[in-house]
């Protein structure tokens, strides 16, 4: 298991940008697949992006592809998501998550979760 702490959320105007960070504990961060999910009021938690542990291959939900970029810095035990051209529809609590194994894009596949950080995009 790994403990995760998100930061970087806030209030931005539509078209603006935010970068979220997720700091992980432990010495084996590089072995974890890392993901970002989000949950808006009245909606199920949905996949946003993921990055593999080995190759650094990235995966994105269609709704964010081209606007969001996930990255990781294993030396800092941190995963990021750069969010550009934000839309009101991006408003949600954003969670980072970690799993061991191959990349998956479902909530159930991730065993470690942060507390979440609120992102609000105004129009």
């Amino acid at each position: 298991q790994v403990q995760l702490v998100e930061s970087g959320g806030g209030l931005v105007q539509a078209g603006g940008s935010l970068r979220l960070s997720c700091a992980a504990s432990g010495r084996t961060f590089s072995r974890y697949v890392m993901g970002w999910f989000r949950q808006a009021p009245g909606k199920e938690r949905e996949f946003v992006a993921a990055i593999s542990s080995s190759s650094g291959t990235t995966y994105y939900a269609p709704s964010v592809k081209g606007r969001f970029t996930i990255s990781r810095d294993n030396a800092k035990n941190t995963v990021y998501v750069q969010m550009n051209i934000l839309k009101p529809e991006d408003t949600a609590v954003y969670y980072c998550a970690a799993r061991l194994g191959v990349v998956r894009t479902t909530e159930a596949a991730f065993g470690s979760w942060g507390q979440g950080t609120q992102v609000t995009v105004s129009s």
Side-chain angles (χ1 to χ4, degrees):
Q1 297 298 113
V2 59
Q3 295 186 353
L4 307 172
V5 180
E6 303 97 333
S7 63
L11 173 64
V12 297
Q13 299 289 331
S17 299
L18 281 175
R19 187 177 73 165
L20 306 183
S21 300
C22 177
S25 65
R27 293 180 175 270
T28 59
F29 174 77
S30 63
R31 298 185 62 84
Y32 282 86
V33 172
M34 300 299 298
W36 287 95
F37 292 76
R38 67 187 183 186
Q39 187 167 21
K43 292 186 175 181
E44 294 185 352
R45 190 171 298 184
E46 65 176 347
F47 169 76
V48 175
I51 185 167
S52 70
S53 60
S54 55
S55 67
T57 303
T58 57
Y59 305 81
Y60 298 95
S63 60
V64 307
K65 190 173 184 179
R67 300 188 297 121
F68 290 13
T69 303
I70 188 172
S71 62
R72 66 192 299 159
D73 187 337
N74 289 338
K76 297 181 178 179
N77 277 20
T78 302
V79 64
Y80 308 92
V81 59
Q82 176 68 44
M83 307 186 297
N84 297 327
I85 320 175
L86 283 163
K87 305 175 180 179
E89 304 93 276
D90 296 319
T91 296
V93 176
Y94 283 72
Y95 300 88
C96 67
R99 77 180 304 270
L100 290 171
V102 299
V103 171
R104 293 288 185 265
T105 59
T106 61
E107 178 182 352
F110 288 79
S112 299
W113 293 85
Q115 294 295 313
T117 185
Q118 177 72 48
V119 172
T120 303
V121 183
S122 62
S123 59

